[in-house]
Amino acid sequence: TYSGPDTLKPGCYYLMGLNPGEDDSNSELKDWNFPPINWSAYANQCWRRHNDAHCQHMRTDVIAEPVRHQQQVQNLAGVLNLNLYTIFSANAIFVASRDARVLPNIEGLWKACWPVHREFLSLVLPRYIICLGNGTMNSSYSFLRKEAGYPREEPDEKAPKKKYHPWKMFNATFDLGNGKIHACRVVGLPHPSRHFFGHLRDNWLL
């Protein structure tokens, strides 16, 4: 996950990207030693490439130079008036790649990862799942919409009509297994790499 294990508890938000980017100094999960509280990859992990040089990749202090993706998610937490460390965060697919478009059998990878997300959802029980990216295919948003049975997307009628800020949403009910279901709202935002992601403050209306 991109958040500390202390976020695996009931909370309002569940943040979901697509898949991790390949990194020259990422550690395997079994080798991670991050603190159990107050940790987020969006604030405490260096995502800059180091050409195989070593750095303190998993940190306890806030990194000085976050990349655009990290900065935009930090901005999103500010829009929601939330402490970033309290938001459970994970990728839809756990396999890393330089470019999501080269992932082999992405649908099969999602099917393999979905049972894990069902477990996460059963612990977090979020009111909102926020997807970083809202493409109609091969995005965390599109995968969740499929799992929910393709519910009708709601038009963004309240928000100002701004071409730089397209976002989508739907109400979902997910089967978590063992007779458990969970209803929540899924919001698909532009990917944080987009320049207009930072304009959320003007029309984040839930």
Side-chain angles (χ1 to χ4, degrees):
T1 70
Y2 277 24
S3 55
D6 57 309
T7 60
L8 274 170
K9 61 184 180 182
C12 193
Y13 297 100
Y14 187 120
L15 189 64
M16 187 183 289
L18 179 56
N19 79 302
E22 276 188 356
D23 192 281
D24 57 359
S25 53
N26 263 342
S27 302
E28 292 186 18
L29 185 60
K30 64 181 178 63
D31 297 325
W32 284 10
N33 187 29
F34 53 81
I37 59 173
N38 295 329
W39 185 89
S40 170
Y42 295 111
N44 305 112
Q45 184 179 16
C46 178
W47 286 6
R48 295 186 180 276
R49 298 193 64 79
H50 301 283
N51 298 320
D52 297 319
H54 294 288
C55 76
Q56 188 181 357
H57 211 57
M58 307 296 291
R59 304 169 62 107
T60 56
D61 55 330
V62 176
I63 57 175
E65 298 181 356
V67 299
R68 173 184 291 278
H69 188 123
Q70 292 171 301
Q71 186 61 61
Q72 298 286 48
V73 173
Q74 291 178 27
N75 292 342
L76 172 61
V79 169
L80 298 176
N81 196 29
L82 284 177
N83 183 333
L84 181 63
Y85 300 121
T86 66
I87 305 174
F88 177 76
S89 308
N91 279 304
I93 293 170
F94 309 136
V95 178
S97 66
R98 291 284 183 91
D99 188 323
R101 291 172 293 185
V102 303
L103 281 172
N105 188 19
I106 191 169
E107 288 278 353
L109 291 173
W110 166 250
K111 288 180 181 178
C113 295
W114 174 235
V116 180
H117 285 288
R118 292 169 76 188
E119 290 295 322
F120 288 161
L121 285 169
S122 70
L123 295 171
V124 180
L125 300 173
R127 291 179 59 196
Y128 303 100
I129 301 177
I130 303 174
C131 297
L132 303 179
N134 58 17
T136 57
M137 294 181 62
N138 298 340
S139 67
S140 56
Y141 179 85
S142 67
F143 290 140
L144 288 172
R145 187 161 179 254
K146 180 179 179 180
E147 296 297 338
Y150 295 105
R152 183 180 65 87
E153 292 178 296
E154 298 182 19
D156 185 10
E157 294 176 345
K158 294 182 180 179
K161 302 303 179 183
K162 297 180 178 179
K163 293 182 179 179
Y164 58 70
H165 183 201
W167 52 295
K168 306 173 183 178
M169 59 188 136
F170 60 85
N171 291 323
T173 299
F174 296 110
D175 178 4
L176 302 183
N178 297 319
K180 298 178 182 178
I181 61 172
H182 179 66
C184 62
R185 194 167 182 81
V186 177
V187 180
L189 303 180
H191 191 271
S193 62
R194 303 284 187 177
H195 289 277
F196 49 68
F197 184 90
H199 295 285
L200 293 172
R201 185 176 301 278
D202 293 334
N203 37 345
W204 180 266
L205 303 172
L206 297 178

